């Protein structure tokens, strides 16, 4: 079983299905602090409140496992590393595909304030990769504006 420990005393265990070459593959398990995620993300704050099953379980038992499907695993690891201030797990440069995956998660979990600073650096480093003609890369670049509204000025 593969696991990532962001907080050894964490009370939240996100589980991510993994895509393997065979039909049966072990999910990726993590250990994080529900408090850190709730402070960083209004989505997690709501999910872990007493109004949802996950929150009720967390408050009753003291810990909870949460299946997080449809997430890019590497992007989620980087976002959790940003939240937990673990710079050794945060890349200094990313490619446009990875930045797009990060943007999707930032939007999904409403983590824009958490990711804004690094996204500015990453976008500036990608300036040369974004074409002026409309295409897939341009679409990805436009998608990243949900993370950093400074994109148009950074690309000038």
């Amino acid at each position: 079983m593969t696991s990532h420990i962001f907080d050894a005393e964490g009370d939240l265990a996100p589980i991510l299905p993994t895509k393997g070459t065979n039909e049966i593959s072990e999910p990726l398990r993590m250990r994080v602090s529900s408090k850190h995620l709730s402070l960083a993300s209004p989505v997690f704050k709501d999910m872990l409140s007493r109004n949802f099953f996950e929150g009720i379980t967390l408050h009753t038992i003291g810990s909870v496992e949460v299946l997080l499907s449809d997430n890019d695993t590497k992007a989620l690891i980087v976002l959790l590393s940003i939240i937990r201030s673990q710079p050794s797990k945060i890349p200094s440069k990313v490619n446009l595909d990875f930045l797009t995956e990060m943007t999707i998660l930032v939007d999904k979990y409403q983590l824009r304030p958490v990711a804004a600073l690094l996204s500015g650096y990453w976008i500036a480093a990608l300036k040369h990769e974004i074409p002026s003609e409309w295409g897939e890369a341009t679409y990805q670049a436009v998608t990243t504006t949900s993370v950093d509204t400074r994109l148009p000025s950074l690309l000038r």
Side-chain angles (χ1 to χ4, degrees):
M1 168 179 33
T2 306
S3 64
H4 284 272
I5 307 297
F6 293 93
D7 185 340
E9 297 175 8
D11 54 0
L12 179 62
I15 300 172
L16 283 84
T18 57
K19 298 173 187 168
T21 53
N22 57 17
E23 292 183 22
I24 302 171
S25 55
E26 284 289 320
L28 174 66
R29 296 180 181 278
M30 301 181 185
R31 176 75 49 200
V32 299
S33 164
S34 64
K35 185 67 173 174
H36 281 108
L37 282 185
S38 293
L39 288 170
S41 165
V43 174
F44 281 105
K45 182 178 181 179
D46 288 343
M47 179 194 302
L48 299 172
S49 73
R50 295 180 191 264
N51 297 326
F52 291 92
F53 174 77
E54 295 87 353
I56 293 169
T57 304
L58 176 63
H59 294 284
T60 303
I61 298 173
S63 65
V64 65
E65 290 185 344
V66 177
L67 180 64
L68 298 178
S69 55
D70 300 324
N71 291 294
D72 182 87
T73 303
K74 290 179 184 177
L76 186 60
I77 290 170
V78 169
L79 277 173
L80 292 173
S81 299
I82 293 168
I83 291 168
R84 286 290 295 153
S85 298
Q86 297 178 336
S88 64
K89 296 180 182 177
I90 302 170
S92 58
K93 293 182 182 180
V94 297
N95 62 33
L96 191 54
D97 291 334
F98 185 78
L99 184 60
T100 303
E101 292 299 329
M102 288 283 296
T103 301
I104 291 167
L105 292 182
V106 165
D107 183 57
K108 180 177 183 176
Y109 296 116
Q110 299 176 19
L111 289 164
R112 186 174 174 196
V114 172
L117 180 63
L118 278 172
S119 68
Y121 295 120
W122 291 335
I123 290 168
L126 289 173
K127 184 177 179 177
H128 67 280
E129 292 184 34
I130 300 172
S132 58
E133 297 177 15
W134 187 258
E136 181 65 23
T138 310
Y139 172 76
Q140 290 174 316
V142 170
T143 302
T144 63
T145 60
S146 71
V147 173
D148 195 322
T149 56
R150 298 172 294 168
L151 179 65
S153 63
L154 291 169
L155 295 178
R156 288 188 196 129

